[in-house]
Amino acid sequence: MTDPKTQTGSRQDEFEFFEESNALWWITLAPTTWAVHFVLAYGGTAVWCAKFGETQGVTVARLSIAGLTVLALGFIGWLGWRSVRRWKPRQNDMEDLSHPEGRHEFLGHAAFLLCIISAIGVVYVAMPALFITTCR
Amino acid sequence: MIRSLAGSGRRLVAMALMMALAGCAGRQSALSPAGEDASWLHDLWIVMLVGAVILWTALNGLFFFVTRVRPNDWPERHANRLIIGGGVIFPTVLVGTLLAYGLSMMPHMRADGDGLVVKVRAEEWWWRVEYWPAGATAPIVTANEIRLPTGQRTELLLDANKYIHSFWVPALGGKMDMFPGRETRMTLRPETPGVYRGQCAEFCGPSHALMAFEAVILTPGDFAAWLEAEAAPAAPPATPEAQRGQTLFRDEGCGACHAVRGTEFDGLVGPDLTHLASRQSLGAGIMEVTREDLTDWIAHTRDIKPEVAMPAYDWLEAAELADLAAYLEGLK
């Protein structure tokens, strides 16, 4: 007979492991958004200019990049907000994050920092669309 | 002793500075602009340099400050402010501003031309050049030299025969790659008359470093006069020596590869020679159009320019080479 207490502990461990492995995926979401935004912005513009650039100009591509950028920044903002909630900066200082018990909060902190760099990356990637008004 | 060492040090620094600054001038320098596009690039370079120096100094200064000047523990709030302000916000804003400044120049560089179109095809290892003035139905063909008027934007359409090359006249503007089977485009608006140097800027084979050209910038009046002269057929040989040279040119089969308009020579393999002697250079920017260099080139082409298509005519007698050179010297 298994001790019910041990069983509960094991389930608890499994749940925590599941949650942390999810958190590992979670921290990749913002950089992935940045990468997808990059590929769509540059790849989409290249295809548009090759197929329609001479006759229809680049306005559609620029507006699409603007829309994509708003979507990407909105999603990264939401990820950042959720990451801060996981991090709980008011309840944890940096020392807390360096212990195994603070792994959950540490992953929230890391995800938040990746959200910041990804948001900067998305803005930099989109900036050419603000200035360049032709497919040439 | 220390004073004399300090004096020598100062002299060395002054000499190094003078040598470095001397490298900024000259007819093949992006830091000595002679056109609108090159001026933009010059300004961009200065702004980027200043931005990079500020960023480098500030960040390294910050590292120095926290590791050497105040290496003791910092209150967490202050440390956070320093890291977020100095390590995140400041570089992001500075790099973003530099990016915006650089991008704001790009629309100007994609401006339309004012009418004149110059087509340049990169060959191995020389430049085939065609002038298409506004409304022209046939080009004026020349080679290994670009002439452009001041005060107007000329459109350059670029491609290549076999390898990838790159067209670059640093004093006039940025560089543009040239691809076989694909046309690239740039426009240039020169401002200061003079003779500048262009160079292939993409490694293209054994004679890449010997693939240069002169870019001659003329006032609009001078350019129109030059273009009219360039469109005319070649002058017939004026001296007995040049006449013998023309006969040799025919007998040796030179006309199978080179065109001389106004004669039966209509080869398309090598550079057009109709007005060779009016050009600033020979062999794509590497020699002068003098009797001595012409004979040297004809007799030793592949020693001078490795793997060039033109064979060396080293079996010709010195007198025959002189006659050929005399004929070519008369093609003004």
Side-chain angles (χ1 to χ4, degrees):
Chain A
M1 238 354 242
T2 320
D3 178 7
K5 269 189 176 175
T6 317
Q7 204 171 23
T8 314
S10 163
R11 273 195 196 143
Q12 178 76 18
D13 285 350
E14 272 178 26
F15 175 73
E16 280 183 9
F17 178 77
F18 175 74
E19 206 178 39
E20 294 319 332
S21 63
N22 267 351
L24 275 175
W25 284 109
W26 177 268
I27 66 171
T28 67
L29 283 178
T32 306
T33 309
W34 174 15
V36 170
H37 175 265
F38 176 88
V39 169
L40 290 177
Y42 278 75
T45 306
V47 171
W48 176 268
C49 280
K51 290 192 176 296
F52 314 107
E54 276 194 27
T55 52
Q56 299 190 42
V58 78
T59 310
V60 172
R62 292 174 76 198
L63 289 174
S64 306
I65 290 172
L68 268 176
T69 304
V70 170
L71 277 177
L73 288 177
F75 184 57
I76 290 171
W78 177 77
L79 287 172
W81 175 68
R82 291 290 306 266
S83 302
V84 170
R85 287 187 58 183
R86 185 169 291 193
W87 169 21
K88 301 187 193 85
R90 290 184 191 284
Q91 296 165 33
N92 299 290
D93 60 16
M94 288 299 156
E95 179 64 21
D96 298 331
L97 301 187
S98 61
H99 298 296
E101 294 76 23
R103 193 182 294 132
H104 185 76
E105 287 73 17
F106 169 77
L107 288 172
H109 181 239
F112 177 68
L113 294 181
L114 285 167
C115 285
I116 293 176
I117 189 83
S118 303
I120 295 168
V122 166
V123 170
Y124 283 3
V125 165
M127 274 172 71
L130 269 183
F131 293 94
I132 295 172
T133 54
T134 155
C135 278
R136 277 177 185 162
Chain B
M1 177 71 177
I2 290 172
R3 190 174 291 173
S4 103
L5 272 176
S8 308
R10 270 201 296 274
R11 274 197 294 277
L12 266 174
V13 169
M15 268 177 63
L17 203 63
M18 272 169 63
M19 284 169 73
L21 289 175
C24 300
R27 62 198 196 94
Q28 192 182 322
S29 173
L31 298 179
S32 189
E36 193 175 43
D37 309 79
S39 295
W40 288 329
L41 291 177
H42 172 264
D43 294 349
L44 177 70
W45 190 83
I46 297 288
V47 169
M48 288 287 170
L49 178 68
V50 170
V53 167
I54 291 173
L55 196 55
W56 190 90
T57 310
L59 282 186
N60 283 288
L62 206 58
F63 284 132
F64 184 77
F65 184 69
V66 297
T67 55
R68 301 292 160 117
V69 181
R70 277 199 58 188
N72 45 324
D73 279 353
W74 285 59
E76 194 174 315
R77 186 187 290 178
H78 289 177
N80 278 346
R81 270 191 201 155
L82 203 63
I83 291 169
I84 293 169
V88 180
I89 297 174
F90 171 66
T92 304
V93 171
L94 185 64
V95 172
T97 308
L98 290 175
L99 177 62
Y101 175 70
L103 288 169
S104 70
M105 288 183 172
M106 295 186 83
H108 304 299
M109 297 189 166
R110 285 161 168 74
D112 289 328
D114 289 331
L116 174 67
V117 175
V118 180
K119 290 187 179 180
V120 184
R121 170 168 289 182
E123 303 276 352
E124 294 79 59
W125 286 265
W126 59 280
W127 313 85
R128 191 187 296 275
V129 185
E130 290 181 4
Y131 289 83
W132 293 79
T137 51
I140 299 160
V141 180
T142 176
N144 293 333
E145 189 170 284
I146 308 289
R147 295 204 180 208
L148 300 176
T150 55
Q152 56 177 282
R153 192 158 276 283
T154 301
E155 183 170 14
L156 288 117
L157 300 177
L158 311 168
D159 71 355
N161 176 39
K162 194 172 175 186
Y163 305 124
I164 297 177
H165 302 262
S166 185
F167 181 93
W168 192 26
V169 189
L172 298 183
K175 65 181 80 159
M176 180 62 75
D177 279 359
M178 309 169 85
F179 305 93
R182 182 184 159 189
E183 190 175 75
T184 48
R185 173 190 179 278
M186 70 187 296
T187 62
L188 292 174
R189 189 176 189 277
E191 284 169 334
T192 315
V195 181
Y196 306 95
R197 191 169 184 274
Q199 168 70 43
C200 177
E202 179 80 36
F203 180 72
C204 55
S207 287
H208 159 68
L210 303 172
M211 187 173 171
F213 62 93
E214 305 294 326
V216 184
I217 304 307
L218 302 165
T219 59
D222 287 349
F223 177 78
W226 169 79
L227 196 61
E228 195 181 333
E230 192 68 19
T239 63
E241 205 182 9
Q243 283 164 356
R244 288 198 302 275
Q246 189 185 39
T247 307
L248 260 173
F249 194 90
R250 181 183 301 113
D251 295 347
E252 292 296 333
C254 306
C257 291
H258 294 284
V260 180
R261 289 196 305 279
T263 71
E264 79 260 36
F265 311 131
D266 57 0
L268 293 173
V269 178
D272 181 290
L273 301 180
T274 307
H275 298 290
L276 171 73
S278 68
R279 292 179 200 153
Q280 305 278 322
S281 74
L282 175 70
I286 58 171
M287 302 169 89
E288 291 178 21
V289 193
T290 60
R291 181 77 58 102
E292 192 186 354
D293 279 3
L294 279 164
T295 52
D296 200 19
W297 171 252
I298 297 166
H300 307 289
T301 42
R302 287 179 183 167
D303 294 333
I304 296 169
K305 191 173 253 199
E307 295 193 23
V308 71
M310 179 172 157
Y313 285 75
D314 49 4
W315 61 84
L316 294 177
E317 302 290 336
E320 291 175 314
L321 285 169
D323 289 345
L324 258 180
Y327 172 57
L328 296 173
E329 264 191 317
L331 297 175
K332 293 206 186 272

